[in-house]
Amino acid sequence: MALDAGTITERFKGTLGELLGIRFVEASPERVVAELTYREDLTTVGGALHGGTLMAFADTVGAAATVVNLPPGASTTTLESKTNFFAAGEAPVLKAVSKPLHIGRTTMVWQTTIGTADGKVCAVVTQTQLVLEG
Amino acid sequence: MALDAGTITERFKGTLGELLGIRFVEASPERVVAELTYREDLTTVGGALHGGTLMAFADTVGAAATVVNLPPGASTTTLESKTNFFAAGEAPVLKAVSKPLHIGRTTMVWQTTIGTADGKVCAVVTQTQLVLEG
Amino acid sequence: MALDAGTITERFKGTLGELLGIRFVEASPERVVAELTYREDLTTVGGALHGGTLMAFADTVGAAATVVNLPPGASTTTLESKTNFFAAGEAPVLKAVSKPLHIGRTTMVWQTTIGTADGKVCAVVTQTQLVLEG
Amino acid sequence: MALDAGTITERFKGTLGELLGIRFVEASPERVVAELTYREDLTTVGGALHGGTLMAFADTVGAAATVVNLPPGASTTTLESKTNFFAAGEAPVLKAVSKPLHIGRTTMVWQTTIGTADGKVCAVVTQTQLVLEG
């Protein structure tokens, strides 16, 4: 049974993913996509989305992408994450697309690109997930 | 006029800092400290604080530490951020301590250590802030 | 006058680029490619290429890619660099391909993928270059 | 039997560590120190030490520090490395000091500070080492 986008959104109920309003819209082993709607309480001083909002958004999508690829019984934890910021995260909605740089037995590395509705790249996040045997 | 901890907390009203419940408790040019109380809606699946919560927490403290050191009229933006995760962020409260690795005219680099109430280190975050002339 | 691959190789004469044997083979504003031949004195214990060799290789190519894109009179310095290692760097030859994640007036961010002759990805390196006005 | 500085230097004979001229001068489980003498063939255009030289220097010291802490029969590989550059690496000699941010059973994270003879910090490198069971 594959993990579809709706099931992933459901799983994050009650977590930071729900607080931020992250909605998964696509999920396959090679690509996971989610959306987040701009809200004032997700901004930093000045009105752009907070860098922490972008990092939390990407972290959620990269972790979900790992889960989609886990063997039965295994789980995952994030070892490290690196973000480069390029442009302000603006209304009305942001999209995050996670693709694998590496899918191994011990670690997976996902790169998530966050962009605005008009295609401007706001941030690129690369994270290493440790695979924990079940 | 120096920026004290209370003033910084006040400045982040209405931003992600308030949504996460970040409270600044100490602010000097060489060290900025803040606290965050564990809440269920800041967790990830499993009950530990979400990695994104930790990164957003650190990002807020590192940015504030930069502001404390800015020359008059200047502002700042985060160029990049790197996090290493070591242990789960657990109740009841986390503390983030930011110290400078580098304070230059063009960039500042802050390293923030996030720990639990009993002193366990959860994450270390290193971020580069660009200094924008006023 | 464009900077071609031969001119770049020539410029690095007498530097670490020559010591490691880096040869530029392609240079355009959107893509810079170089090669490095496996040598025993570039390895680490065990016989694979040293992680430092891979990082120095990528750093050289990313810096050259920045130079190709600099406005007249400007220069550049590396602010930070992040490497993920995926597989051993093996004989006979490695190729590094640098592509831009961001080309701005103040900073450029280049991502360099290092692979073996048979297409295995050894490392991905992302570096931020500061642009210094002339 | 503890690994002393001389033994570590000996182990890197024939590798990149020897090519760069890295000499270990102190080795304990909590701190490993090495030196590197400025040479023209380790520079970049302009005369400062190449960023790749600094990264390779740190990588070598951080890996050695991991080996000092490995349980019997285990080995290690570098998962990822992050460098922030602060100042030019200048003659006559650089010193690298590695200290642990985390020593776990699965991973170790070392932070290496590279400085000049007069105490100027050139770079800070943070690297994650995977511990491979024997």
Side-chain angles (χ1 to χ4, degrees):
Chain A
M1 193 193 68
L3 261 178
D4 63 82
T7 305
I8 296 174
T9 303
E10 196 64 30
R11 266 206 198 181
F12 284 110
K13 278 275 165 70
T15 72
L16 183 72
E18 185 184 26
L19 182 68
L20 301 179
I22 298 170
R23 304 175 303 277
F24 285 86
V25 295
E26 186 186 326
S28 74
E30 286 293 318
R31 183 181 146 100
V32 174
V33 183
E35 291 180 349
L36 176 147
T37 299
Y38 179 96
R39 287 192 340 238
E40 264 196 40
D41 63 355
L42 303 182
T43 63
T44 187
V45 178
L49 284 174
H50 194 293
T53 299
L54 302 184
M55 293 193 287
F57 184 23
D59 188 58
T60 303
V61 183
T66 306
V67 170
V68 171
N69 283 275
L70 285 177
S75 62
T76 183
T77 188
T78 310
L79 283 180
E80 59 90 27
S81 179
K82 168 67 163 73
T83 301
N84 290 82
F85 295 102
F86 301 136
E90 290 165 350
V93 69
L94 294 189
K95 189 160 84 169
V97 179
S98 285
K99 295 179 187 175
L101 290 183
H102 176 69
I103 295 187
R105 273 177 308 176
T106 309
T107 61
M108 297 188 201
V109 178
W110 291 86
Q111 188 157 81
T112 304
T113 303
I114 298 179
T116 60
D118 55 1
K120 191 179 58 174
V121 175
C122 301
V124 172
V125 181
T126 308
Q127 73 196 71
T128 304
Q129 298 285 139
L130 186 65
V131 176
L132 304 161
E133 298 295 331
Chain B
M1 192 192 68
L3 261 179
D4 62 82
T7 304
I8 297 173
T9 303
E10 196 64 31
R11 266 204 198 183
F12 284 111
K13 279 275 165 68
T15 73
L16 184 72
E18 186 185 23
L19 182 67
L20 301 180
I22 298 172
R23 305 174 303 276
F24 286 86
V25 295
E26 186 187 325
S28 74
E30 287 292 319
R31 183 180 146 100
V32 173
V33 183
E35 291 180 349
L36 177 148
T37 299
Y38 179 96
R39 287 190 342 236
E40 263 194 42
D41 62 356
L42 304 180
T43 62
T44 187
V45 179
L49 284 173
H50 194 292
T53 300
L54 302 185
M55 293 193 287
F57 184 22
D59 187 59
T60 303
V61 183
T66 305
V67 171
V68 171
N69 282 275
L70 285 177
S75 62
T76 184
T77 189
T78 309
L79 283 180
E80 58 91 27
S81 180
K82 168 65 163 74
T83 301
N84 290 82
F85 295 102
F86 301 137
E90 289 165 351
V93 68
L94 293 190
K95 189 160 84 169
V97 180
S98 285
K99 296 180 185 174
L101 290 182
H102 176 69
I103 295 188
R105 274 177 307 176
T106 309
T107 60
M108 297 190 202
V109 178
W110 291 86
Q111 189 158 78
T112 303
T113 303
I114 298 179
T116 60
D118 56 0
K120 190 179 58 172
V121 175
C122 302
V124 172
V125 182
T126 307
Q127 74 197 71
T128 303
Q129 297 285 139
L130 187 65
V131 177
L132 304 161
E133 297 296 331
Chain C
M1 190 192 71
L3 261 179
D4 63 81
T7 305
I8 296 174
T9 303
E10 196 64 30
R11 266 204 198 183
F12 285 110
K13 279 274 165 68
T15 73
L16 184 71
E18 186 184 25
L19 182 67
L20 301 180
I22 297 171
R23 307 175 302 277
F24 286 85
V25 295
E26 185 187 326
S28 74
E30 288 291 319
R31 185 179 143 102
V32 174
V33 182
E35 291 180 349
L36 177 147
T37 299
Y38 179 97
R39 289 191 340 237
E40 262 195 42
D41 63 356
L42 303 181
T43 63
T44 187
V45 178
L49 284 173
H50 195 292
T53 300
L54 301 185
M55 293 193 287
F57 184 22
D59 188 59
T60 303
V61 183
T66 304
V67 171
V68 171
N69 282 274
L70 284 177
S75 62
T76 184
T77 186
T78 309
L79 284 181
E80 58 91 27
S81 180
K82 168 66 163 73
T83 301
N84 289 82
F85 295 103
F86 301 136
E90 288 165 352
V93 69
L94 293 190
K95 187 161 84 169
V97 179
S98 285
K99 296 181 185 174
L101 290 183
H102 176 69
I103 295 188
R105 275 177 308 176
T106 311
T107 60
M108 297 189 202
V109 178
W110 291 86
Q111 188 157 77
T112 304
T113 302
I114 299 180
T116 60
D118 55 2
K120 190 179 57 173
V121 175
C122 302
V124 172
V125 181
T126 307
Q127 73 196 73
T128 302
Q129 297 286 137
L130 187 64
V131 176
L132 304 160
E133 298 294 332
Chain D
M1 191 192 72
L3 261 179
D4 63 82
T7 305
I8 297 174
T9 304
E10 197 63 31
R11 266 203 199 183
F12 285 109
K13 279 273 166 70
T15 73
L16 183 71
E18 185 183 27
L19 182 67
L20 301 180
I22 297 171
R23 307 176 301 277
F24 286 85
V25 296
E26 186 187 326
S28 74
E30 287 293 318
R31 185 180 143 100
V32 173
V33 183
E35 291 180 350
L36 176 147
T37 299
Y38 179 97
R39 288 191 341 236
E40 263 194 41
D41 63 356
L42 303 182
T43 63
T44 186
V45 178
L49 284 173
H50 195 293
T53 300
L54 302 185
M55 293 192 288
F57 184 21
D59 188 59
T60 304
V61 183
T66 304
V67 170
V68 170
N69 281 274
L70 284 178
S75 63
T76 184
T77 187
T78 308
L79 283 181
E80 57 92 26
S81 180
K82 168 66 165 72
T83 300
N84 290 81
F85 296 101
F86 302 135
E90 289 165 350
V93 69
L94 293 189
K95 187 160 84 169
V97 179
S98 285
K99 296 180 186 175
L101 290 183
H102 176 69
I103 296 188
R105 274 177 306 176
T106 310
T107 60
M108 297 190 201
V109 178
W110 291 86
Q111 188 157 78
T112 303
T113 302
I114 299 180
T116 60
D118 55 2
K120 190 179 57 172
V121 175
C122 301
V124 172
V125 182
T126 307
Q127 74 196 72
T128 303
Q129 298 285 138
L130 187 65
V131 177
L132 305 160
E133 297 295 330

